[in-house]
Amino acid sequence: LEAKEEFEHSSLAVDVMRPRRADPALAVLTQESMTVGEVETLVENTHYSGFPVVVSQESQRLVGFVLRRDLLISIDNARKRQEGIVSASQVLFTEHAPAQDPDGPPPIRLRGILDLSPFTVTDHTPMDITVDIFRKLGLRQCLVTHNGRLLGIITKKDILKHMAQIANRDPDSILFN
Ligand code: ADP
């Protein structure tokens, strides 16, 4: 990201984050309520580089962030090497396993591939601050929250697109902003 590019002071994280209003919902994983089959379906049906992990769909409390690549490799390895892993196996990102059905298949434990402190900003964070953080920390993406609930994601490419839009805008509209 170029340091010389300036931002309109009025842009906020909520203006740049995805999903946009008309987009499909943010693709998230839950920390202990999804099966291997469900995770595989979500990953195969989307092209995102990563997925936020939340406590539950209802709470949308952020637990961490997992890269698509790491998820695919770990599930593939577990299916090949770990006894009894099937599509119905639970995927666990938690430290402790919840009570398990003794007759059910063993779970896959994936806490090891979870980034437990992904960078987050709130929806009202000005974009000039967010861009500064991206530059200084060399981020590829950052998550957006409101009152502790996960709202969206901003990638480096989203920022570059937003900058290009501002650069192309009618100069008069910037003047009167
Ligand atoms: P990039 O922006 O580098 O192409 P991605 O492929 O991860 O990176 O993301 C593509 C688009 O989808 C971006 O606009 C990003 O904000 C959005 N996005 C990324 N991850 C998710 C996700 N888990 N759910 C919904 N949208 C996402």
Side-chain angles (χ1 to χ4, degrees):
L1 298 171
E2 291 291 326
K4 62 178 191 293
E5 244 130 342
E6 278 306 323
F7 259 88
E8 274 181 299
H9 292 296
S10 51
S11 289
L12 303 175
V14 72
D15 304 321
V16 180
M17 70 165 208
R18 308 301 151 100
R20 291 278 163 83
R21 226 168 300 237
D23 291 345
L26 190 69
V28 300
L29 302 174
T30 58
Q31 65 175 355
E32 59 178 13
S33 62
M34 289 176 82
T35 63
V36 168
E38 286 166 346
V39 171
E40 284 172 335
T41 303
L42 183 78
V43 174
E44 279 158 19
N45 291 335
T46 59
H47 53 271
Y48 308 126
S49 318
F51 301 89
V53 176
V54 294
V55 171
S56 64
Q57 288 289 351
E58 305 74 57
S59 80
Q60 291 293 314
R61 301 257 160 215
L62 185 64
V63 174
F65 190 79
V66 66
L67 292 176
R68 171 194 201 84
R69 188 188 54 230
D70 294 343
L71 204 52
L72 288 174
I73 293 172
S74 299
I75 291 179
D76 198 46
N77 276 341
R79 275 197 183 268
K80 281 185 191 141
R81 308 212 171 97
Q82 204 180 319
E83 191 77 34
I85 297 298
V86 291
S87 296
S89 296
Q90 291 297 125
V91 175
L92 301 181
F93 292 101
T94 48
E95 206 161 354
H96 304 288
Q100 211 77 52
D101 174 2
D103 301 324
I108 295 189
R109 317 212 51 157
L110 294 183
R111 193 176 179 83
I113 59 167
L114 194 58
D115 174 359
L116 289 165
S117 12
F119 202 84
T120 61
V121 294
T122 68
D123 51 347
H124 286 115
T125 307
M127 275 314 289
D128 52 355
I129 292 176
T130 306
V131 170
D132 213 37
I133 296 167
F134 262 78
R135 284 191 189 116
K136 288 185 174 144
L137 301 183
L139 299 182
R140 302 213 51 100
Q141 72 276 312
C142 124
L143 299 171
V144 182
T145 61
H146 177 80
N147 284 344
R149 282 169 70 92
L150 180 63
L151 272 195
I153 184 167
I154 299 175
T155 67
K156 191 171 153 180
K157 249 192 220 167
D158 292 331
I159 292 185
L160 292 171
K161 280 188 208 155
H162 180 71
M163 284 176 158
Q165 259 175 19
I166 289 176
N168 288 334
R169 203 175 281 174
D170 176 13
D172 286 344
S173 74
I174 295 176
L175 210 64
F176 292 111
N177 240 313

